[in-house]
Amino acid sequence: MSLSLSKHPSFSGRPGPVLVVVADGVGVAPPGASNAVTEAVTPTLDALTSSELYTELAAHGPAVGLPTEDDMGNSEVGHNALGAGRIFAQGAKLVNQALANDTIFQTEVWKTAVEHGREGTLHLIGLHSDGGVHSTNAQLYQLLWRAADDGVTSCAVHILHDGRDVAARSALAYIAVTEAVLAEINAVEANAAGAQRDFRIASGGGRMRITMDRYGADWPMVERGYRTHVFGEGRRFASATDAVETMYAETDKGDQYLGEFVIERDLGAGGEPAGTIVDGDAVIFFNFRGDRAIEISQALADDHFDQFDRTGPAGEPRPSVFYAGMLQYDGDLQVPTNYLVNPPAIDRTMGEFLCAEGVASFAISETQKFGHVTYFWNGNKSGYIDEELETYIEIPSDNVEFDTTPAMKVREITAETIDLLRSGEYRFGRLNFPSGDMVGHTGHLPATVEAVEIIDEHMAKLVEVIDELGGVLIYTADHGNADIMFTEEQGVRSPKTSHTLSPVPFAIHDPNYDGEYQMVAAAPGPAHGLANVAATVFDLLGYEAPADYLPSLIGF
Ligand SMILES: O=C(O)[C@@H](CO)OP(=O)(O)O
Ligand SMILES: [Mn+2]
Ligand SMILES: [Mn+2]
């Protein structure tokens, strides 16, 4: 289908550029002590969200391609929807479908993995919770049972504690369920000859400590995970439960930050790690979401890799394995080459139309969310669409626990954005302020309030430059997080580190506005979602949105 845009029949756009600000994780929830957004002093956001050009958007569940209304939104599905202007079934749903209709197990990739698993060991690595943002344990269990039914007798599970999309200290509960599933699998004779099955947890650690880095923010984190999973380097414990209980006693940190562990079954008797990765093994990374799966995939599968030395502690060469991802995580990089389920078939994104039309645009954030406004915005493709017309700016993130730096790089992102806007070279720009979400994920309420106040201060600077240039500013978010920072039961407060089901704000600041358009009256509740934003941007740029894009939020 063509990528050409038609001029808008009745609106030619504004003299200045259109800027979309995504305040990551800054949702809309009833005011209250747990709401870091309403607890913050936010004069600029208050003005933006009390204007007539304001509405709320759904950013969770089916509105962003997730299975049910109980599924909280996240950056992947949110920025996919923002950049594609349509709703695509997302990883969680695609994997559930492929499991339900068995197609996942009919693939050559699964059959090859099982073949390697029968000869050696099948390794499953991934985020260990039912958070549904990167993975679900329900999907892991279906892979485990099928592997057993398909004749695998040796299977090692490498678990990454969550505590970010689920309760901060929920690892023990998830481990208990997985250990019960593994015991049930092992209790069944593998075959008539009575071969004993040996399915076990072999290694793991906190998801913000090992393996699940993204956008090259912290390769040493990936190396720690690689060495733990592959060579069994890390503190030895007799069980994952022992590892977590020991670490809980040593620190008050949540699961996401717990250290790496390696299981040694007859601990202390000079035993071996329970499941190192050796030549001929198969490895499946069972996360369906790509951003935090790409680097470990490259480390485990790429022949050409130079981010760290992959040889073992005694100089042993890196193992040659059959590696597969649950999905293909990057369509541009083709990472990984082997995968079980086709990723969302996102095409004809906003960026492709703008480039086809010769419209210059920019995208900017700091490392932690840089890929959100490029890779996810462009439909899980990490490269430029057209380097002549696009400018992607990454402000390096710090590698800290972000409650210690509530501003993160909001100041630097704002300053750079103002320069880009004033350059006069761009008609469209998008930025992501990560702090509402990244500080929200620490569960630290005061720091998150401070993060939101700093965002507000810098929104004022962006509004000012949009006024100066006669452009348009759109303020929105990709899902909630900062809007609910704790839950309370019988007076006891528990930090809530996860995203929320809240709607997100959508405000247009248009200094030349003279009533040319109005917000489309929303039915009760957020009748619109993030996928309606792209058509609205095309309107404000003076173009007609592609016919199959979800409708604009404004009417003329
Ligand atoms: O940090 C992440 O990977 C997710 C939560 O799991 O957050 P976001 O979707 O905002 O990137
Ligand atoms: Mn987000
Ligand atoms: Mn988040």
Side-chain angles (χ1 to χ4, degrees), residues 195-458:
Q196 180 50 44
R197 285 173 174 161
D198 180 13
F199 281 50
R200 70 278 187 192
I201 294 174
S203 80
R207 61 173 284 183
M208 293 299 280
R209 164 85 190 147
I210 63 170
T211 309
M212 280 179 65
D213 183 45
R214 65 179 166 198
Y215 309 145
D218 186 359
W219 274 102
M221 180 175 150
V222 181
E223 179 174 9
R224 276 196 299 276
Y226 177 87
R227 309 198 74 78
T228 301
H229 307 318
V230 175
F231 298 113
E233 291 183 51
R235 280 176 74 179
R236 297 288 178 91
F237 293 91
S239 72
T241 297
D242 282 0
V244 173
E245 285 175 345
T246 306
M247 293 187 193
Y248 276 1
E250 295 169 346
T251 168
D252 60 0
K253 291 187 187 308
D255 296 338
Q256 58 185 322
Y257 302 113
L258 291 185
E260 53 277 25
F261 68 89
V262 171
I263 302 301
E264 181 186 317
R265 287 191 281 203
D266 28 18
L267 189 63
E272 291 303 306
T276 54
I277 301 175
V278 299
D279 281 351
D281 284 355
V283 182
I284 294 175
F285 198 72
F286 62 83
N287 287 19
F288 42 72
R289 170 165 157 176
D291 58 341
R292 294 184 183 277
I294 287 169
E295 291 167 65
I296 189 66
S297 294
Q298 291 170 324
L300 286 164
D302 282 2
D303 289 335
H304 311 290
F305 176 86
D306 58 3
Q307 295 295 339
F308 55 78
D309 173 13
R310 293 184 286 183
T311 50
E316 24 326 23
R318 76 177 177 102
S320 156
V321 300
F322 178 77
Y323 180 85
M326 187 70 105
L327 271 69
Q328 184 166 67
Y329 300 126
D330 187 308
D332 264 3
L333 300 176
Q334 302 281 306
V335 170
T337 45
N338 302 316
Y339 52 92
L340 291 168
V341 176
N342 290 324
I346 298 172
D347 65 348
R348 301 167 56 251
T349 57
M350 169 208 275
E352 291 171 82
F353 279 98
L354 291 176
C355 289
E357 194 64 26
V359 175
S361 67
F362 67 82
I364 179 171
S365 186
E366 64 175 282
T367 309
Q368 279 297 337
K369 300 280 186 186
F370 171 67
H372 292 14
V373 290
T374 54
Y375 161 72
F376 283 143
W377 195 283
N378 293 337
N380 305 336
K381 299 182 183 72
S382 52
Y384 277 107
I385 296 166
D386 181 334
E387 208 155 354
E388 298 304 309
L389 288 165
E390 295 179 298
T391 301
Y392 294 168
I393 306 273
E394 176 187 343
I395 308 277
S397 289
D398 299 328
N399 278 330
V400 296
E401 289 180 24
F402 293 107
D403 49 306
T404 62
T405 58
M408 291 185 68
K409 298 298 177 191
V410 165
R411 296 186 181 91
E412 295 81 352
I413 293 168
T414 302
E416 185 74 37
T417 299
I418 289 172
D419 289 348
L420 290 162
L421 292 170
R422 282 205 174 116
S423 75
E425 287 170 34
Y426 305 98
R427 293 280 302 127
F428 173 66
R430 66 229 185 219
L431 75 81
N432 180 303
F433 282 148
S435 45
D437 179 67
M438 297 302 283
V439 184
H441 278 303
T442 68
H444 194 290
L445 176 59
T448 309
V449 171
E450 192 179 342
V452 175
E453 293 184 340
I454 294 166
I455 288 171
D456 188 82
E457 270 168 52
H458 291 80

Side-chain angles (χ1 to χ4, degrees), residues 24 75 164 369 437-438 441 479 481 499:
D24 207 300
S75 291
R164 186 177 176 92
K369 300 280 186 186
D437 179 67
M438 297 302 283
H441 278 303
H479 53 77
N481 183 338
H499 297 166

Side-chain angles (χ1 to χ4, degrees), residues 451-494:
V452 175
E453 293 184 340
I454 294 166
I455 288 171
D456 188 82
E457 270 168 52
H458 291 80
M459 284 302 295
K461 297 177 192 293
L462 293 172
V463 164
E464 202 180 312
V465 77
I466 287 292
D467 290 349
E468 173 197 317
L469 299 171
V472 178
L473 181 147
I474 287 174
Y475 169 72
T476 191
D478 57 339
H479 53 77
N481 183 338
D483 41 289
I484 305 174
M485 289 299 296
F486 64 74
T487 53
E488 194 159 356
E489 286 206 12
Q490 281 112 21
V492 177
R493 289 181 177 182
S494 313

Side-chain angles (χ1 to χ4, degrees), residues 126-164:
L127 186 62
H128 189 242
S129 80
D130 57 6
V133 173
H134 290 268
S135 69
T136 69
N137 279 358
Q139 292 173 356
L140 166 64
Y141 299 155
Q142 291 188 67
L143 297 186
L144 286 167
W145 274 110
R146 185 55 178 260
D149 292 346
D150 287 356
V152 171
T153 51
S154 172
C155 180
V157 186
H158 305 264
I159 62 171
L160 302 170
H161 307 311
D162 191 346
R164 186 177 176 92

Side-chain angles (χ1 to χ4, degrees), residues 45-121:
L45 298 184
D46 295 349
L48 286 170
T49 55
S50 57
S51 91
E52 60 185 305
L53 297 179
Y54 172 74
T55 188
E56 290 175 7
L57 302 179
H60 76 287
V64 286
L66 293 172
T68 73
E69 287 296 334
D70 296 335
D71 292 305
M72 57 190 158
N74 68 65
S75 291
E76 172 191 38
V77 301
H79 289 80
N80 273 180
L82 284 166
R86 290 153 291 161
I87 300 169
F88 290 84
Q90 286 288 347
K93 197 168 176 179
L94 295 171
V95 174
N96 287 345
Q97 286 166 348
L99 287 165
N101 64 26
D102 210 56
T103 49
I104 191 170
F105 300 123
Q106 307 311 319
T107 60
E108 281 315 304
V109 169
W110 173 260
K111 290 175 183 164
T112 308
V114 158
E115 215 172 287
H116 282 259
R118 277 198 292 266
E119 296 305 309
T121 295

